[in-house]
């Protein structure tokens, strides 16, 4: 048998073995790093091997930590930093020489020095490129380009000092751009191609020339024409044409250039000049005072559109082509709109732009490439969206303007609809053609979205735009007031019919019926406010709306919206009838209560349908309005509360609305208390105790039959019926007998609740007892507070807050336990 060592000895042996393994692993890792470094050094060029960190001993310098030391900066980075720094220093020296020391030398010396420096700075890079020192050649060539600028400056100071600075700058920039372009091409052509063994896979046969001269020349070439136009004092149209011509030249260079830096510089310059030119042409077109000036500016916009289309057709990127076509379409519409603005009345400017935008849609039937067609279509859509936004003030004023009639109801029927709608709202300028614009855009959206994946969304948008166009027609045409009311009513009928038809015809859920129902509701409310100008119109419109929405309740789709709308209009009709009859508000409340009664009856007949809950909500809102109207007369308020309690109790007879019984009990209690207050009863116990005793007995018998009944259901109403009115009476009672008897009764109720573990007696009795005690001790508390120094209450409050903060978690646990204890009671 094998002798096993003790556990402690075995653990020591295992630890020793693990330490040996860790040491061996560290040695192997260091050896691996040295081998990797050796292989990289063998594969690197000879120049890189000479800068390695391998010692003569053949092992890598691992330092203290055992890791191979690697350079913190690569050789190309160090080289670029040194070259850039040297070039900057030489450029600074050349500038200082030109600006400071120039005047101390003669003409021959100046020419000799600058000429020699420039020729040397431009010739040395070619030699350096032959030797393969491309980075050094770039640095020296950059110095040469700076010297050419200094040569131009020096030439102006010596030979052309009297010429215009802006004109000389234009000519100098043109000459410098040509010189830099030629120099970049010549310097690249003078360098032989690299051998095939030294070229990368993507190098091809390209020559390793200089990078910056040609892009710099392209960037500078954007300046001469603009500077020349400014120098000769050209007008805004000429300057705009120069900007667009320069942008076209930049676009041509970007399309034909092969090197990426040249293309990038050309694209940026073309976009910058083009955007400025288009904005200038648009401003000139839309601010022109006559058609001729607008036409000249529009011609510039057409030129910009042609340039954009040609550029979009030549690019390979579909996104860039679509963006160019979008810009071209906007330019065409802007030019046409500017000419129309100067030629036609202001009302027809936006319709003219919409017509031009619709003409752009014809491009979708042409042989243009798909990106160009999509761009032109999106330009048309953008113009149509702007036209719709232009008509928003007209639509908003038409919908919201009648609301102001609520501040002066029945002030007299106006002459036309516009006077009734835009009484306090300003009329938008040039809004007479708003309905035409909305109808045209709606038709386009409907046709464009037909038989597509977006047919549902396009149908909704077309419906909203068509509705907006129809409701604004009476206002725009200034139709007579009765005709406007009839027109709004026809819109309500049409939209309701569309909602019902689309809901039944659709095989799948669609947002169109819901949108139509919402538009019908908005139009009906707008019509009701519009009819407030006349008493007869108000009653007639509300009757028609109530009947219309009541008839719409028979539809399967419109019922959940039409039923509450009918009840709402019926409520407004009841208020209008009461006001027309000269009734006081609390008398009108009884007429308004007919609506909750009808709602309760309808809800009981349609129980379980989608219209049940909306009908009940509308009936509850009408009941609250009736209570608000009766609040000024306590006897009528008590009657209204009682009637609401009866309706709520009738609703509670339905099995699914048993919980409404609590609200019915509360309403009956409130009615009792209000009645006692209205009678100015000083001894409410004479009326409440005869009701409380039978209520408590009935509750006790019910709990004996059904132990699941809570104490609130059995005893809550009976206890509150007596204790609350007595508490209100005791609050103003200056004698001691009522508070004493009420406190004793509340204490007895509290003890009974604690004894039998009943929640309702415990909470109601305890609350009444606490309030009675507070009422009785209030004078003494006031005296105590008055006797204390003024700093004592704040100090006491601070101590209480500190104590609560220090025992915050304990107080939360105590509150949680109290809640759980109350929850366990019945």
């Amino acid at each position: 048998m094998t002798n096993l060592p003790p556990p402690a000895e075995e653990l020591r042996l295992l630890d020793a073995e693990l330490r040996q393994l860790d040491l061996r692993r560290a040695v192997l890792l260091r050896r691996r790093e040295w081998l990797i470094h050796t292989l990289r050094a063998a594969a690197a060029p000879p120049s890189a091997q000479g800068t390695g960190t391998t010692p003569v001993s053949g092992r890598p310098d691992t330092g203290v930590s055992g890791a191979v030391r690697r350079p913190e900066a690569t050789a190309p980075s160090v080289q670029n930093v040194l070259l850039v720094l040297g070039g900057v220093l030489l450029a600074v020296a050349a500038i200082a020489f030109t600006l400071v020391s120039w005047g101390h030398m003669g003409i021959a010396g100046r020419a000799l020095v600058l000429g020699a420096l420039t020729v040397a700075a431009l010739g040395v890079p070619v030699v350096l490129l032959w030797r393969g020192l491309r980075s050094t050649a770039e640095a020296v060539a950059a110095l040469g380009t700076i010297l050419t600028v200094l040569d131009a400056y020096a030439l102006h100071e010596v030979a052309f000092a009297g010429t215009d600075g802006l004109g000389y700058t234009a000519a100098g920039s043109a000459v410098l751009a040509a010189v830099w372009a030629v120099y970049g091409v010549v310097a690249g052509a003078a360098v032989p191609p690299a051998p095939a063994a030294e070229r990368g896979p993507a190098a091809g046969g390209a020559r390793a020339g200089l990078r910056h001269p040609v892009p710099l020349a392209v960037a500078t070439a954007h300046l001469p024409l603009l500077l020349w136009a400014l120098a000769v004092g050209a007008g805004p149209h000429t300057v705009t044409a120069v900007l667009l011509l320069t942008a076209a030249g930049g676009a041509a260079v970007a399309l034909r250039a092969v090197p990426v830096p040249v293309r990038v510089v050309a694209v940026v310059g073309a976009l910058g000049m083009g955007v400025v030119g288009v904005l200038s042409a648009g401003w000139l077109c839309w601010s022109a005072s006559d058609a001729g000036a607008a036409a000249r500016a529009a011609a510039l916009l057409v030129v910009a559109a042609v340039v954009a289309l040609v550029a979009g057709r030549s690019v390979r990127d579909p996104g860039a082509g679509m963006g160019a076509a979008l810009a071209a379409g906007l330019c065409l519409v802007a030019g046409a709109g500017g000419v129309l603005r100067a030629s036609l009345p202001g009302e027809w400017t936006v319709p003219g732009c919409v017509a031009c935008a619709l003409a752009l849609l014809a491009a979708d039937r042409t042989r243009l490439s798909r990106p160009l067609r999509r761009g032109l279509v999106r330009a048309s859509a953008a113009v149509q969206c702007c036209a719709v936004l232009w008509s928003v003030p007209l639509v908003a004023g038409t919908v919201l303007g009648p609301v102001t009639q609520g501040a002066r109801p029945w002030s007299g029927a106006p002459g036309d609809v516009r006077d009734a709608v835009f009484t306090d709202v300003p009329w938008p300028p040039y809004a007479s053609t708003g309905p035409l614009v909305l109808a045209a855009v709606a038709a386009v959206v409907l046709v464009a979205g037909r038989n597509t994946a977006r047919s549902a969304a396009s149908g909704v948008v077309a419906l909203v735009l068509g509705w907006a166009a129809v409701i604004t027609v009476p206002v725009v045409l200034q139709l007579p007031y009765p005709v406007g009311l009839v027109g709004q009513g026809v819109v309500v009928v049409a939209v309701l019919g569309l909602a019902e038809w689309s809901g039944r015809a659709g095989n799948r859920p669609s947002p169109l019926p819901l949108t139509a129902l919402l538009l019908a509701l908005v139009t009906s409310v707008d019509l009701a406010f519009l009819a407030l100008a006349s008493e007869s119109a108000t009653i007639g419109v509300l009757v028609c709306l109530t009947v219309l929405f009541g008839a719409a309740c028979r539809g399967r789709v419109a019922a959940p919206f039409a039923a509450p709308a009918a009840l709402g209009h019926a409520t407004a009709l009841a208020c209008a009838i009461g006001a027309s009859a000269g009734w006081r508000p609390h008398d009108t409340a009884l007429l308004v209560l007919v609506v909750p009664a009808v709602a309760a009856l309808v809800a009981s007949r349609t129980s379980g349908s989608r219209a049940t809950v909306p009908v009940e909500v509308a009936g509850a809102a009408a009941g609250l309005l009736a209570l608000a109207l009766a609040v000024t007369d306590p006897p009528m308020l008590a009657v209204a509360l009682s009637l609401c309690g009866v309706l709520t109790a009738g609703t509670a007879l339905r099995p699914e609305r048993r919980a409404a019984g609590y609200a019915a009990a509360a309403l009956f209690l409130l009615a009792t208390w209000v009645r006692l207050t209205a009678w100015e009863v000083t001894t409410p116990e004479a009326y409440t105790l005869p009701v409380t005793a039978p209520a408590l007995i009935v509750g006790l018998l019910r709990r004996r039959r059904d132990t699941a009944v809570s104490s609130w259901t059995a005893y809550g109403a009976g206890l509150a019926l007596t204790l609350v009115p007595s508490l209100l009476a005791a609050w103003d009672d200056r004698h001691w007998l009522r508070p004493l008897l009420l406190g004793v009764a509340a204490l007895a109720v509290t003890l009974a609740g604690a004894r039998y573990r009943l929640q309702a007696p415990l909470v109601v009795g305890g609350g009444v007892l606490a309030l009675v005690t507070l009422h009785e001790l209030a004078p003494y508390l006031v005296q105590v507070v008055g006797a204390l120094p003024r700093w004592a209450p704040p100090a006491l409050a601070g101590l209480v807050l500190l104590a609560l903060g220090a025992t915050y978690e304990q107080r939360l646990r105590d509150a949680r336990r109290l809640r759980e204890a109350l929850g366990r009671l019945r």
Side-chain angles (χ1 to χ4, degrees):
M1 296 179 62
T2 304
N3 294 325
L4 296 177
E9 180 66 15
E10 186 179 1
L11 180 61
R12 185 185 64 78
L13 294 175
L14 290 176
D15 291 339
E17 290 291 334
L18 290 175
R19 282 194 296 271
Q20 292 296 329
L21 290 175
D22 291 338
L23 293 175
R24 181 61 179 168
R25 185 174 184 276
V27 173
L28 294 176
L29 288 175
R30 286 196 297 271
R31 181 64 180 176
R32 181 179 180 275
E33 291 177 358
W34 178 77
L35 291 174
I36 292 174
H37 179 75
T38 303
L39 293 174
R40 288 178 178 173
S47 59
Q49 292 180 5
T51 60
T53 58
T54 305
V56 180
S57 61
R59 294 185 59 83
D61 184 10
T62 59
V64 180
S65 61
V68 179
R69 291 183 179 177
R70 297 179 181 176
E72 296 182 358
T74 60
S77 301
V78 175
Q79 180 186 9
N80 293 335
V81 171
L82 294 177
L83 291 175
V84 171
L85 182 60
V88 170
L89 292 177
L90 288 176
V92 171
I95 294 173
F97 168 76
T98 305
L99 297 178
V100 178
S101 302
W102 183 257
H104 301 291
M105 301 179 64
I107 297 177
R110 301 170 185 173
L112 180 62
V113 171
L114 270 182
L117 288 176
T118 304
V119 171
L122 295 179
V124 170
V126 179
V127 179
L128 294 176
L129 289 174
W130 271 86
R131 298 179 61 86
L133 302 176
R134 185 173 181 178
S135 299
T136 308
E138 288 284 352
V140 178
L143 177 61
T145 55
I146 294 175
L147 288 176
T148 55
V149 178
L150 296 177
D151 289 340
Y153 169 74
L155 186 62
H156 176 268
E157 293 296 324
V158 173
F160 302 99
T163 60
D164 179 42
L166 197 58
Y168 180 81
T169 304
S173 60
V175 173
L176 288 176
V179 169
W180 291 340
V182 172
Y183 174 68
V185 173
V186 171
V191 180
E198 298 180 5
R199 293 199 304 262
R207 303 175 186 270
L210 298 173
R211 291 190 180 94
H212 79 278
V214 177
L216 185 60
V218 173
T220 309
H222 288 81
L223 300 176
L225 287 178
L226 178 60
L227 294 176
W228 168 80
L230 296 177
V232 300
H237 288 80
T238 304
V239 174
T240 303
V242 166
L243 288 171
L244 296 176
L245 182 61
T246 305
V253 173
L255 294 174
R256 298 298 298 272
V258 176
V260 175
V262 177
R263 289 205 305 269
V264 171
V265 172
V267 167
V268 172
L271 288 178
M273 291 290 183
V275 169
V276 176
V278 167
L279 292 178
S280 176
W283 180 79
L284 291 174
C285 185
W286 282 80
S287 62
S289 58
D290 56 348
R296 290 195 298 271
L300 296 175
L301 289 173
V302 172
V303 171
V306 171
V307 172
L309 285 176
V310 172
R313 184 179 181 181
S314 303
V315 296
R316 297 181 179 179
D317 186 10
M322 186 173 61
L326 173 63
L330 293 178
C331 290
L332 292 175
V333 174
V339 175
L340 292 175
R341 188 200 66 83
S343 305
L344 300 176
E347 290 82 1
W348 293 100
T349 301
V350 176
C353 293
V354 173
C356 296
L358 297 182
L360 289 179
L361 295 176
D364 200 26
R365 303 293 182 181
T366 62
R367 295 183 179 180
L368 293 175
S369 60
R370 179 178 175 83
L372 294 183
R373 287 187 279 116
R374 293 181 63 186
L376 292 175
V377 170
R378 293 194 177 189
S380 175
V383 175
Q384 295 178 57
C385 290
C386 293
V388 171
L389 292 177
W390 167 79
S391 63
V392 166
L394 174 63
V395 179
T398 304
V399 174
L400 301 178
V403 178
T404 58
Q405 294 290 341
R408 48 180 183 279
W410 300 349
S411 57
D416 55 58
V417 182
R418 184 182 296 184
D419 293 338
V421 174
F422 286 91
T423 303
D424 299 325
V425 180
W427 175 254
Y430 307 120
S432 300
T433 54
L436 178 62
V437 171
L438 292 171
V441 177
V444 171
V445 171
L446 187 61
V447 173
R450 185 179 53 186
N451 299 326
T452 62
R454 299 188 181 94
S455 59
S458 62
V460 170
V461 174
L463 174 61
V464 174
L465 293 176
W467 167 82
V470 172
I471 65 170
T472 54
V473 167
V475 179
V476 169
L477 298 180
Q478 292 182 308
L479 297 179
Y481 180 68
V483 177
L485 295 179
V486 173
Q488 293 276 37
V490 172
V491 172
V492 176
V493 175
V495 178
L496 278 176
L498 177 62
E500 188 66 28
W501 173 80
S502 60
R504 291 183 176 180
N507 296 326
R508 56 183 180 179
S510 172
L512 186 61
L514 177 60
T515 305
L517 289 173
L518 293 177
L519 293 178
L521 293 177
V522 172
T523 310
S524 65
V525 173
D526 185 65
L527 177 58
F529 277 108
L530 184 63
L532 284 176
S534 172
E535 178 179 352
S536 58
T538 301
I539 297 177
V541 165
L542 290 176
V543 169
C544 293
L545 290 177
T546 302
V547 173
L548 175 62
F549 280 98
C553 293
R554 302 184 62 181
R556 177 178 57 86
V557 178
F561 293 87
L567 294 175
H569 290 303
T571 304
L573 176 61
C575 295
I577 292 175
S580 178
W583 295 352
R584 291 174 296 180
H586 56 268
D587 296 328
T588 307
L590 295 179
L591 184 60
V592 174
L593 283 176
V594 176
V595 177
V598 174
L601 180 61
V602 172
S604 65
R605 297 291 299 273
T606 62
S607 181
S609 65
R610 294 190 302 163
T612 302
V613 175
V615 166
E616 291 175 344
V617 172
L624 291 176
L625 177 62
L627 296 178
L629 292 175
V631 75
T632 57
D633 188 67
M636 188 61 68
L637 177 61
V639 174
L641 288 170
S642 301
L643 294 177
C644 290
V646 171
L647 296 176
T648 307
T651 302
L653 295 177
R654 292 156 49 195
E656 70 276 8
R657 293 291 184 265
R658 295 299 187 193
Y662 297 103
L667 290 172
F668 284 131
L669 286 176
L670 286 174
T672 303
W673 297 339
V674 171
R675 174 57 64 183
L676 293 176
T677 304
W679 286 342
E680 297 182 356
V681 174
T682 58
T683 309
E685 294 81 5
Y687 300 91
T688 57
L689 285 177
V691 180
T692 299
L696 294 178
I697 293 173
V698 171
L700 178 61
L701 296 177
R702 185 177 178 186
R703 275 184 59 84
R704 286 184 177 181
R705 289 197 308 267
D706 186 3
T707 57
V709 176
S710 67
S711 60
W712 288 103
T713 304
Y715 308 120
L719 292 175
L721 183 62
T722 295
L723 292 179
V724 174
S726 299
L727 177 63
L728 296 177
W731 204 260
D732 293 332
D733 195 348
R734 299 182 179 180
H735 301 284
W736 58 271
L737 182 59
R738 185 191 301 275
L740 177 61
L741 296 177
L742 181 60
V744 171
L747 178 60
V749 171
T750 305
L751 294 177
R755 169 65 178 81
Y756 296 103
R757 301 178 62 127
L758 298 176
Q759 190 178 101
L762 184 62
V763 173
V764 175
V768 172
L769 181 61
L771 291 176
V772 170
T773 304
L774 179 63
H775 176 263
E776 293 303 312
L777 294 179
Y780 303 101
L781 293 176
V782 171
Q783 293 178 4
V784 171
V785 172
L788 290 175
R790 294 192 176 183
W791 54 264
L796 181 61
L799 291 175
V800 171
L801 292 177
L802 286 176
L804 291 176
T807 59
Y808 182 74
E809 295 184 1
Q810 182 63 36
R811 300 286 79 77
L812 286 179
R813 285 195 295 268
D814 294 342
R816 193 178 298 111
R817 290 172 183 172
L818 178 60
R819 185 189 63 185
E820 293 175 354
L822 287 175
R824 288 192 297 267
L825 300 179
R826 296 291 298 172

